[in-house]
Amino acid sequence: MPLYEHVMIARQDLSNTQAEGLIEHFGTVLSDNGGKLVDSEYWGVKTMAYKINKNRKGHYAFLRSDAPATAVQEMERLMRLHDDVMRVLTIKVDEHAELPSVQMQKRDERSDRRERR
């Protein structure tokens, strides 16, 4: 089956548990349609470059899936209909990286930075 990576932005007024619940919900949508959620990362609340639906911030989530195209299309359709999801980006990839995503690595490597003057 094809491999996909998804980035989702949810509304800022959700709690962390509600945002993580959205990840679980869309993972079950994939599994119900014959795919599986390989990995998911909750990136937290981040400030956006511009307003989306009058929101300056949003809950970011990253999903890796192994699913047929019909399952991904159904998940994207339900994400677009869901009131709490503002944006979704899906990319087809050749293989999934074993390491955490760049966003998660960046947070871990901040202590390696040089001091500001």
Side-chain angles (χ1 to χ4, degrees):
M1 281 191 277
L3 303 174
Y4 295 95
E5 293 181 351
H6 316 274
V7 176
M8 172 181 71
I9 306 174
R11 291 183 310 137
Q12 67 183 0
D13 55 349
L14 297 176
S15 68
N16 292 348
T17 55
Q18 288 175 323
E20 290 172 355
L22 283 175
I23 297 170
E24 293 173 13
H25 170 69
F26 292 119
T28 57
V29 169
L30 281 175
S31 62
D32 291 345
N33 290 304
K36 70 175 185 175
L37 187 63
V38 176
D39 186 25
S40 65
E41 294 177 358
Y42 173 66
W43 290 347
V45 178
K46 296 195 176 287
T47 304
M48 296 183 278
Y50 55 90
K51 287 184 181 180
I52 300 175
N53 300 336
K54 299 180 183 177
N55 291 305
R56 271 278 179 216
K57 296 182 179 184
H59 291 273
Y60 281 71
F62 178 68
L63 311 165
R64 291 182 177 118
S65 65
D66 182 9
T70 56
V72 173
Q73 289 172 352
E74 178 64 15
M75 184 187 72
E76 285 183 334
R77 184 185 74 82
L78 292 174
M79 282 182 170
R80 277 190 239 109
L81 292 175
H82 204 283
D83 291 335
D84 294 333
V85 178
M86 294 189 298
R87 289 285 192 275
V88 178
L89 174 69
T90 300
I91 299 172
K92 186 176 180 181
V93 294
D94 294 329
E95 63 182 33
H96 290 302
E98 294 297 322
L99 298 173
S101 64
V102 175
Q103 285 289 331
M104 299 305 279
Q105 289 176 3
K106 183 178 177 183
R107 192 174 290 164
D108 294 340
E109 295 175 358
R110 284 188 179 162
S111 62
D112 297 339
R113 292 172 130 181
R114 63 185 175 99
E115 293 182 24
R116 292 184 180 172
R117 295 182 185 207

